[in-house]
Amino acid sequence: MPLRTARTAPYLFLAPFVLSFLIFGAYPIVRSVMLSFYITSGPEAQHFVGLDNYLHLLQDPDFWTAVRNTATFALGSVLLQLPLSLGLALLLNRADIRGRNVFRFIFFSPNLMGLVFSALLFMLILAPRFGLLNAALHALFGLPSTTRWLSTPGLVMPALIMVALWLYTGFNMVYFLAALQAVDGELYEAATIDGAGRWAQFRHVTLPGIRPVLIFVVVLSTIGSFQLFELAFLLLGNSSGPDQAGLTIVMYLYQNGFLGGDLGYAAAIGWTLALMVLLLALVQLRITGTGKEAR
Amino acid sequence: MRRMVVYTLLVLFALLCLVPIAWLAASAFKANADFHVYPVLPPVDRLTLANFTSLFTQMPFLRFMMNSFFVAGATVILQLFFSSLGGFALAKYDFAGKKTVMGVMLATMMIPGPVLLAPMYELIYHMGLIDSHLGLIVPGMVNVFGMFLFRQSMLSVPDEMLQAARIDGCNEFQIFWHVVMPVSRPIVGAFCLIAFMGTWNSFLWPQIILQSSDRFTLPIGLNQMIGVYEADYGAMMAGTLLAVLPVVALFFLLQKEFIAGLTKGAVKG
């Protein structure tokens, strides 16, 4: 009898997952592919158009604006966040630093605010006349305190990148710290005996040691950046900023599907986004040579 | 000398992290008229509690907060139960189809969430759950990332413990509940925090399906307040401050487990 239950038990235990996956995973995936071949207005009226949504998307200037903005954001965030978070992790990983845990907590603390509430806070920090940023820039460098960060086209993306930097640097640092602590200390001793300097040690011991985590963080940050929505939406509103300077891919999806009611076009935008994210991840893995090792 | 440079860099970045949060705390006690006069900090005697009182007396802030607690609480409890149960099955049993399940889980995590927004909206619409809290809770009942987390941690529970419990007459569910779950307490803590933060902060999906303001969760409600009570900056900041407090409290309660859980998959994987 116990043997029998042990045989059926795992299936029963997994039943909620399987059921929920079928309803809220598999079905929407299939349905989303289908939807992308339709023009819809709301969940009721639908009209089959084949590949038209995708063809239209390729010629849709607004979509390309969104792609450009999103790519700028992703590139800016990854290029600034990763070196900074790795640098901080290296500093905090030194044994002779006092208050390591305090620093670690402080660097992580913006993350406790969460994306949405950070955006609400930065809405006021970035405000032109009474915002903290302008006040600080004025006090430190004598810059005018009237900079309109969120209504000057060229400043919108830098502002978003800055908020993301504030929010996620400490989060990535936690990953890097964990990776650094897992690097075998004896390797450093051996390198020192061989006469390797700090830079040589970093290149030949540290970097190879943390490579899997480094790649993990790069790929994850890129994927996450490509799904930027909340920051842009909360800081800029439905209109996506001056000259659509803050229009991101997911925001464009939202505008078409949920303000415009065309779920079909939204689905096509979604799959195009998925394809871009997949390609980017593959390229990044290829460049770093991750696939080869596994084989 | 070198140590001085290191500390300077660390302190500088620490300030960059803390100053916006300190400004939030200060602004929550700032009168609206003072925002223009004192961009940084007003004199202490000008600080006021008026922002908090108006949140609760003139705005439906309490309603938003209760909605958020209900949705996040229900989601976390359901996710905790279903994800740990599924993770247990994957960690401790051999059965036909296990590889398929793991493959499907991995594939699910690869698909960006926004891809499913349109069909999910349609589905929730046909289920009649638009503008309801159930529409927020039900689609997120199982957390695939959580299932991986539980599987990873439960792999290290010795099989002898399970065998001993079986001999003592436990059925398989009792083994899960009375033997494996108690020793998995750290990962339960980590998971609860991660799941709570995720739900508490969720914006896009609630923004899509919630319509009536008395069902709004905090992120939606606070954002809406900007439009309705224009220029009430103080109340905005007071509301934001109160909205992040539960996460902070939970973090202090569970921080050890959280850091361990966060890095477990990354470092070993």
Side-chain angles (χ1 to χ4, degrees), chain B:
Chain B
M1 184 57 203
R2 191 174 235 156
R3 280 166 59 92
M4 276 297 287
V5 175
V6 170
Y7 279 116
T8 311
L9 289 174
L10 289 176
V11 169
L12 212 65
F13 192 73
L15 281 178
L16 283 179
C17 289
L18 287 182
V19 165
I21 300 176
W23 192 75
L24 166 67
S27 304
F29 298 93
K30 216 190 278 186
N32 275 313
D34 281 355
F35 269 81
H36 296 275
V37 189
Y38 308 100
V40 182
L41 237 184
V44 176
D45 60 322
R46 295 196 62 90
L47 295 177
T48 164
L49 285 174
N51 296 324
F52 294 94
T53 12
S54 75
L55 271 185
F56 290 101
T57 53
Q58 285 156 45
M59 302 172 199
F61 186 79
L62 189 64
R63 176 94 279 193
F64 300 156
M65 196 142 204
M66 276 161 42
N67 290 340
S68 264
F69 268 115
F70 173 70
V71 172
T75 309
V76 171
I77 289 170
L78 287 169
Q79 281 189 357
L80 174 65
F81 184 62
F82 291 138
S83 307
S84 58
L85 199 58
F88 172 65
L90 292 172
K92 287 292 154 199
Y93 296 92
D94 276 319
F95 56 93
K98 184 167 158 178
K99 278 218 171 104
T100 316
V101 171
M102 300 277 290
V104 165
M105 281 165 63
L106 265 175
T108 318
M109 291 204 291
M110 304 281 184
I111 294 186
V115 175
L116 301 185
L117 283 177
M120 284 289 264
Y121 176 79
E122 205 189 33
L123 185 62
I124 292 298
Y125 173 85
H126 289 302
M127 286 175 150
L129 294 180
I130 295 290
D131 199 23
S132 76
H133 288 153
L134 272 183
L136 298 180
I137 297 166
V138 173
M141 279 193 308
V142 181
N143 180 328
V144 174
F145 168 74
M147 245 163 76
F148 263 111
L149 209 62
F150 279 109
R151 175 182 174 269
Q152 289 306 101
S153 105
M154 287 173 176
L155 280 174
S156 59
V157 178
D159 286 334
E160 290 77 18
M161 270 176 79
L162 276 66
Q163 286 303 345
R166 253 174 222 133
I167 292 165
D168 288 346
C170 279
N171 68 31
E172 301 304 306
F173 182 78
Q174 287 168 326
I175 292 175
F176 161 74
W177 192 245
H178 294 298
V179 178
V180 178
M181 275 308 256
V183 300
S184 306
R185 195 167 293 167
I187 206 73
V188 169
F191 176 79
C192 283
L193 183 56
I194 293 170
F196 183 80
M197 281 171 87
T199 322
W200 193 258
N201 282 305
S202 110
F203 182 82
L204 181 48
W205 183 242
Q207 169 78 14
I208 286 172
I209 75 160
L210 295 182
Q211 291 158 352
S212 349
S213 60
D214 60 335
R215 303 209 176 94
F216 283 173
T217 53
L218 277 170
I220 312 300
L222 278 175
N223 185 44
Q224 205 80 358
M225 268 167 49
I226 302 167
V228 182
Y229 306 90
E230 209 167 336
D232 199 345
Y233 310 121
M236 274 297 303
M237 291 297 97
T240 306
L241 186 66
L242 288 182
V244 297
L245 282 185
V247 179
V248 175
L250 204 61
F251 181 83
F252 273 108
L253 211 66
L254 298 169
Q255 59 164 316
K256 245 195 189 144
E257 290 85 354
F258 176 65
I259 302 288
L262 201 66
T263 47
K264 197 174 183 105
V267 177
K268 285 188 179 160

Side-chain angles (χ1 to χ4, degrees), chain A residues 69-142:
Chain A
N69 289 340
T70 312
T72 308
F73 175 80
L75 199 70
S77 329
V78 173
L79 286 185
L80 289 176
Q81 264 169 46
L82 294 190
L84 186 58
S85 50
L86 180 57
L88 291 171
L90 285 168
L91 292 185
L92 282 191
N93 197 42
R94 293 171 49 153
D96 57 344
I97 296 298
R98 280 163 185 270
R100 289 202 291 175
N101 289 335
V102 177
F103 281 119
R104 201 165 88 155
F105 170 70
I106 292 175
F107 295 168
F108 188 78
S109 58
N111 227 269
L112 293 182
M113 290 277 304
L115 183 58
V116 173
F117 302 115
S118 297
L120 292 174
L121 166 61
F122 272 86
M123 196 183 291
L124 294 201
I125 288 187
L126 296 169
R129 278 166 304 133
F130 57 85
L132 178 65
L133 182 64
N134 279 343
L137 289 177
H138 182 70
L140 291 174
F141 309 108

Side-chain angles (χ1 to χ4, degrees), chain A residues 226-289:
Chain A
F226 261 81
Q227 297 180 40
L228 175 70
F229 173 79
E230 279 88 348
L231 265 188
F233 183 84
L234 286 164
L235 288 175
L236 305 164
N238 279 338
S239 63
S240 63
D243 294 350
Q244 297 185 312
L247 183 68
T248 72
I249 300 174
V250 176
M251 203 150 156
Y252 194 54
L253 184 157
Y254 174 83
Q255 288 180 352
N256 278 284
F258 302 100
L259 300 179
D262 192 350
L263 294 178
Y265 202 49
I269 297 170
W271 281 110
T272 312
L273 169 70
L275 192 70
M276 286 193 288
V277 165
L278 181 73
L279 282 176
L280 266 174
L282 286 178
V283 167
Q284 284 174 337
L285 292 178
R286 190 69 188 251
I287 290 173
T288 50

Side-chain angles (χ1 to χ4, degrees), chain A residues 120-276:
Chain A
L120 292 174
L121 166 61
F122 272 86
M123 196 183 291
L124 294 201
I125 288 187
L126 296 169
R129 278 166 304 133
F130 57 85
L132 178 65
L133 182 64
N134 279 343
L137 289 177
H138 182 70
L140 291 174
F141 309 108
L143 293 177
S145 55
T146 46
T147 312
R148 303 172 66 85
W149 291 94
L150 299 174
S151 38
T152 310
L155 292 179
V156 167
M157 273 299 148
L160 297 189
I161 291 171
M162 197 166 56
V163 181
L165 186 72
W166 178 78
L167 191 56
Y168 292 122
T169 300
F171 187 79
N172 290 328
M173 184 203 66
V174 172
Y175 279 115
F176 287 137
L177 259 180
L180 287 172
Q181 278 157 11
V183 177
D184 189 354
E186 286 177 16
L187 290 175
Y188 288 107
E189 282 166 33
T192 315
I193 293 167
D194 288 346
R198 270 186 184 278
W199 174 244
Q201 286 191 20
F202 176 73
R203 269 202 59 192
H204 299 293
V205 180
T206 309
L207 267 188
I210 62 166
R211 230 192 62 175
V213 173
L214 195 62
I215 295 166
F216 174 83
V217 173
V218 170
V219 173
L220 232 64
S221 313
T222 314
I223 294 178
S225 303
F226 261 81
Q227 297 180 40
L228 175 70
F229 173 79
E230 279 88 348
L231 265 188
F233 183 84
L234 286 164
L235 288 175
L236 305 164
N238 279 338
S239 63
S240 63
D243 294 350
Q244 297 185 312
L247 183 68
T248 72
I249 300 174
V250 176
M251 203 150 156
Y252 194 54
L253 184 157
Y254 174 83
Q255 288 180 352
N256 278 284
F258 302 100
L259 300 179
D262 192 350
L263 294 178
Y265 202 49
I269 297 170
W271 281 110
T272 312
L273 169 70
L275 192 70
M276 286 193 288

